[in-house]
């Protein structure tokens, strides 16, 4: 009780300081006061008090934008320090309510929504997570880093695919132009002119542009697989292959060979090499390595230059296959005879009439 009373007294004292600084339009002083209040709550592990103070400080009359921004940014650092999921969700919701509708903290709100959506997804609530992410239109955020925008939209697409909402997934995917992945990242960034929006640095957990390119095309493969658009699937795999890190690492080509084996029972080595964008010798080497490692079942007829992906069948499998085929054939013959007899009877009745 004494600790709680001491905390309330310290907060009350800092609130008076914050009020004086705010009325004097002292930006630095107001920012320090609000952040000190949050720090006190954090150190005391008073999570409910922290949430209450965040909402209270944001609603104070004439509150400075800089103070709200500083408060939201500092409180976001405490999210991962919360003792349980419930406390984490409550803190995120408090910060979300404060940042809603405020352009100067729109990036922070997007990051908060992403954290909340991740929690929902971990709880198995895919639809709720997807709905949360779709509330945010990051493509309009001028100060957000390009890679962070792309990563956010890709997360929206992934959640739509997970909930099998293919129409919305396609709409969201069109917000990303494939040309953006071909940008020259080696060029130095131009210094912003006075009055221009300063673009923030992307967080450390945001993948590089080339990694985002790979994720983008993997998601598009999932989308096109649903509509059986094999030409677009092939184009996606080709784009993934053109990523330097994939092209230089032969182990990355394994999925392409597996895809070919799924849709072909027999294929020439020359055509396989064309599909993999490799020479015939390289295609044969990688295919042989996969067969040796038992990642794939295949036989290569080198004189004929043909690859057969069908596994060898024993005598029992062959007999079962023949038996099944004969059964289907006899069934079709019986149905055909029945239809012929039916048509004959109909015509006989018609002639009698």
């Amino acid at each position: 009780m004494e600790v709680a009373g001491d905390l309330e007294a310290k907060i009350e004292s800092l609130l008076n300081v914050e009020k004086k600084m705010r009325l004097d339009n002292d930006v630095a002083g107001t920012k320090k006061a609000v952040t000190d209040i949050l720090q006190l709550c954090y150190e005391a592990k008073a999570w409910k008090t922290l949430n209450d103070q965040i909402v209270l400080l944001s609603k104070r009359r004439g509150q400075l934008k800089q103070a709200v921004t500083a408060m939201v940014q500092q409180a976001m650092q405490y999210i991962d320090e919360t003792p349980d999921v419930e406390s984490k969700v409550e803190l995120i919701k408090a910060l979300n309510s404060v940042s809603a509708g405020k352009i100067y903290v729109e990036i922070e709100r997007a990051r908060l929504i992403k954290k909340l959506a991740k929690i929902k997804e971990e709880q198995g609530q895919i639809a709720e997570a997807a709905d949360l992410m779709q509330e945010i239109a990051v493509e309009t955020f001028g100060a957000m880093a390009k890679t962070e925008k792309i990563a956010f939209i890709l997360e929206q697409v992934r959640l739509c695919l997970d909930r099998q909402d293919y129409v919305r997934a396609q709409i969201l995917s069109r917000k990303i132009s494939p040309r953006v992945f071909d940008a020259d990242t080696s060029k130095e960034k131009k210094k912003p002119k006075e009055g221009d929006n300063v673009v923030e640095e992307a967080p450390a957990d945001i993948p590089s542009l080339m990694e985002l390119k790979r994720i983008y095309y993997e998601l598009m493969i999932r989308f096109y697989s649903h509509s059986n658009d094999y030409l677009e699937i092939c184009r996606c795999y080709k784009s993934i292959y053109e990523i330097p890190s994939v092209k230089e690492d032969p182990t990355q080509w394994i999925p392409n060979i597996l895809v070919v084996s799924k849709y072909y029972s027999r294929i020439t080595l020359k055509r396989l090499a064309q599909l993999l964008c490799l020479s015939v010798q390289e295609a044969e080497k990688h295919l042989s390595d996969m067969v040796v490692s038992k990642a794939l079942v295949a036989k290569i007829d080198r004189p004929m230059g043909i690859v057969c992906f069908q596994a060898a069948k024993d005598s029992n499998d062959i007999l079962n296959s023949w038996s099944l085929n004969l059964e289907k054939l006899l069934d079709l013959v019986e149905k055909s005879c029945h239809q012929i007899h039916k048509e004959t009877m109909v015509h006989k009745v018609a002639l009698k009439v």
Side-chain angles (χ1 to χ4, degrees):
M1 293 295 291
E2 291 180 7
V3 174
D6 188 41
L7 177 63
E8 289 179 7
K10 289 180 179 178
I11 290 174
E12 191 63 35
S13 175
L14 283 170
L15 284 172
N16 293 329
V17 174
E18 184 273 336
K19 181 180 179 180
K20 183 178 182 304
M21 295 297 177
R22 174 165 42 84
L23 294 177
D24 291 342
N25 206 30
D26 185 342
V27 175
T30 309
K31 285 170 65 176
K32 187 177 186 308
V34 297
T35 53
D36 285 348
I37 291 171
L38 299 189
Q39 186 64 25
L40 276 175
C41 297
Y42 168 69
E43 290 174 355
K45 304 300 178 187
W47 300 107
K48 188 176 184 307
T49 306
L50 175 65
N51 297 341
D52 294 341
Q53 290 300 320
I54 289 169
V55 176
L56 174 67
L57 289 167
S58 67
K59 290 182 177 179
R60 302 202 89 176
R61 184 179 178 183
Q63 186 58 275
L64 303 176
K65 293 180 180 179
Q66 296 90 333
V68 174
T69 304
M71 180 174 64
V72 171
Q73 289 176 347
Q74 176 156 332
M76 285 179 69
Q77 299 175 15
Y78 304 151
I79 292 174
D80 293 332
E81 305 296 325
T82 49
D84 50 50
V85 175
E86 187 178 350
S87 301
K88 182 181 288 188
V89 170
E90 289 301 319
L91 178 55
I92 291 173
K93 285 182 176 179
L95 290 169
N96 186 36
S97 66
V98 167
S99 57
K102 296 181 176 67
I103 296 176
Y104 51 90
V105 284
E106 62 184 3
I107 295 177
E108 285 77 11
R109 182 166 185 262
R111 292 169 182 169
L112 287 166
I113 290 294
K114 192 175 180 181
K115 285 180 181 288
L116 186 58
K118 186 178 180 182
I119 292 171
K120 293 287 185 184
E121 185 182 7
E122 288 172 352
Q123 294 174 343
Q125 302 174 22
I126 304 295
E128 290 82 350
D131 290 338
L132 278 171
M133 290 291 284
Q134 287 164 33
E135 292 178 7
I136 310 297
V138 291
E139 63 274 12
T140 63
F141 294 1
M144 181 179 274
K146 179 172 68 175
T147 51
E148 188 174 4
K149 282 184 188 179
I150 296 171
F152 195 96
I153 295 171
L154 290 178
E155 191 67 9
Q156 291 176 321
V157 174
R158 183 185 67 80
L159 286 169
C160 284
L161 290 174
D162 288 347
R163 73 183 294 190
Q164 299 182 348
D165 187 351
Y166 295 100
V167 175
R168 195 172 295 277
Q170 184 180 33
I171 293 169
L172 290 167
S173 68
R174 286 175 178 170
K175 293 181 179 181
I176 301 174
S177 170
R179 290 193 298 273
V180 76
F181 300 116
D182 300 326
D184 189 356
T185 54
S186 62
K187 292 181 180 179
E188 293 185 3
K189 294 180 181 179
K190 294 181 180 179
K191 292 183 179 179
K193 297 178 182 179
E194 190 175 346
D196 289 351
N197 286 332
V198 178
V199 178
E200 292 189 10
E201 289 291 330
D205 61 340
I206 298 297
S208 65
L209 191 62
M210 288 297 100
E211 180 64 18
L212 290 171
K213 179 179 180 179
R214 184 184 62 78
I215 295 170
Y216 169 77
Y217 282 110
E218 285 177 351
L219 290 173
M220 296 314 297
I221 288 168
R222 286 181 60 187
F223 171 75
Y224 290 125
S225 296
H226 169 71
S227 55
N228 295 327
D229 193 338
Y230 301 115
L231 179 60
E232 289 299 331
I233 292 172
C234 180
R235 286 172 178 164
C236 290
Y237 274 115
K238 185 175 183 297
S239 298
I240 292 174
Y241 169 75
E242 289 170 351
I243 299 172
S245 60
V246 175
K247 207 168 188 177
E248 294 165 7
D249 184 5
T251 60
Q252 298 283 343
W253 304 337
I254 290 175
N256 294 350
I257 297 176
L258 291 174
V259 170
V260 172
S261 69
K262 184 178 179 181
Y263 295 105
Y264 287 85
S265 58
R266 285 161 58 90
I267 187 172
T268 63
L269 267 172
K270 186 178 178 181
R271 179 58 179 154
L272 178 64
Q274 287 176 346
L275 292 173
L276 299 175
C277 300
L278 299 171
S279 67
V280 173
Q281 292 77 15
E282 287 175 325
E284 184 179 348
K285 180 183 180 300
H286 293 301
L287 181 61
S288 300
D289 291 341
M290 290 181 68
V291 171
V292 171
S293 63
K294 296 184 179 180
L296 183 69
V297 176
K299 287 184 178 180
I300 304 174
D301 186 343
R302 296 191 71 184
M304 297 295 293
I306 295 175
V307 180
C308 180
F309 289 110
Q310 289 181 335
K313 296 180 179 179
D314 60 19
S315 56
N316 289 329
D317 290 334
I318 294 171
L319 285 172
N320 289 335
S321 176
W322 286 354
S323 174
L324 182 63
N325 289 337
L326 282 172
E327 187 178 344
K328 286 181 179 178
L329 178 61
L330 291 172
D331 187 47
L332 284 172
V333 170
E334 185 180 353
K335 285 181 179 178
S336 300
C337 292
H338 177 72
Q339 290 294 331
I340 292 169
H341 181 68
K342 182 180 176 182
E343 289 294 322
T344 304
M345 295 301 292
V346 168
H347 284 292
K348 281 183 179 180
V349 170
L351 287 172
K352 287 179 181 180
V353 175

